């Protein structure tokens, strides 16, 4: 074996090791980003839930007032949008699907079945298509 062949072999092995290291680092980075997305989802949902619940608790007697009613509907939309965006991330595989299902299984079911939100999900023109799609994926018994 000539010296140039040995050098070529060594460079090939070094390139392979470097490529494997790069792939491993890329995989770890993607998991880190995925974890950050999952934390942002939880934070957004938690904040929307707190705002929605606070409004109901603090103004339950004034829900007939037009301004309060407008704010109530706005917080309800933000609350449902937070779940829909989370479901979009799930469908786009931007989060760990198994962990997402464990975390949100009960929550998704309860909001879609909740009498206050049911009209938002029972229409063909629902703006919350991702939530409905995830709900159907998890709970459609005819699949």
């Amino acid at each position: 074996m000539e010296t140039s062949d040995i050098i070529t072999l060594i460079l090939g092995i070094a390139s392979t090791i470097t490529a494997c290291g790069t792939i491993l680092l890329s995989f770890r980075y993607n998991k880190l980003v995925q974890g950050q997305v999952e934390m942002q989802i939880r934070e957004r949902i938690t904040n929307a839930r707190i705002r929605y619940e606070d409004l109901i608790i603090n103004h339950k007697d004034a829900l007939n007032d037009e301004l309060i009613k407008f704010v109530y509907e706005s917080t309800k939309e933000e609350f449902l949008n937070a779940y829909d965006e989370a479901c979009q991330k799930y469908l786009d595989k931007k989060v760990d699907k198994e962990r997402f299902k464990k975390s949100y299984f009960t929550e998704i079911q309860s909001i879609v079945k909740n009498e206050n939100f049911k009209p938002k999900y029972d229409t063909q023109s629902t703006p919350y298509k991702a939530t409905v799609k995830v709900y159907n994926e998890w709970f459609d018994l005819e699949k």
Side-chain angles (χ1 to χ4, degrees), residues 26-41 89-90 92-100:
S26 176
F27 179 75
R28 286 185 178 170
Y29 176 76
N30 287 341
K31 284 294 183 186
L32 177 65
V33 169
Q34 195 175 57
Q36 289 173 331
V37 168
E38 290 170 4
M39 288 173 36
Q40 288 171 342
I41 287 170
K89 301 279 191 262
Y90 169 86
D92 291 343
K93 298 178 184 167
K94 304 262 182 187
V95 296
D96 181 291
K97 290 185 96 166
E98 189 175 313
R99 189 170 42 245
F100 183 91

Side-chain angles (χ1 to χ4, degrees), residues 10 15-16 19-20 31 48 59 72 76-77 83-84 98 119 121 129:
I10 290 171
S15 295
T16 303
C20 289
K31 284 294 183 186
H59 300 286
Y72 169 76
K76 184 162 66 169
E77 292 295 321
Y83 277 99
D84 201 61
E98 189 175 313
Y121 295 110
K129 293 192 185 319

Side-chain angles (χ1 to χ4, degrees), residues 6 12 19 35 38 42-43 45 62 68 73 75 77 88 98 108 113 117 131 133:
I6 293 172
E38 290 170 4
R42 174 49 66 195
E43 185 177 338
I45 287 174
I68 295 297
E73 289 300 321
T75 58
E77 292 295 321
Q88 288 169 6
E98 189 175 313
I108 297 294
K113 290 296 187 181
F117 305 134
T131 307
K133 189 171 184 176

Side-chain angles (χ1 to χ4, degrees), residues 46-60 75:
T46 299
N47 290 339
R49 180 180 293 277
I50 289 169
R51 185 164 183 238
Y52 178 73
E53 291 170 348
D54 282 349
L55 182 69
I56 290 172
I57 290 168
N58 293 330
H59 300 286
K60 65 180 179 242
T75 58

Side-chain angles (χ1 to χ4, degrees), residues 87 90 100-113 130-143:
C87 289
Y90 169 86
F100 183 91
K101 186 173 182 178
K102 285 179 185 176
S103 297
Y104 296 102
F105 186 84
T106 305
E107 289 179 50
I108 297 294
Q109 183 180 35
S110 70
I111 65 164
V112 171
K113 290 296 187 181
T131 307
V132 171
K133 189 171 184 176
V134 169
Y135 176 83
N136 288 336
E137 178 182 316
W138 294 350
F139 299 101
D140 187 359
L141 301 176
E142 295 183 22
K143 286 194 325 183

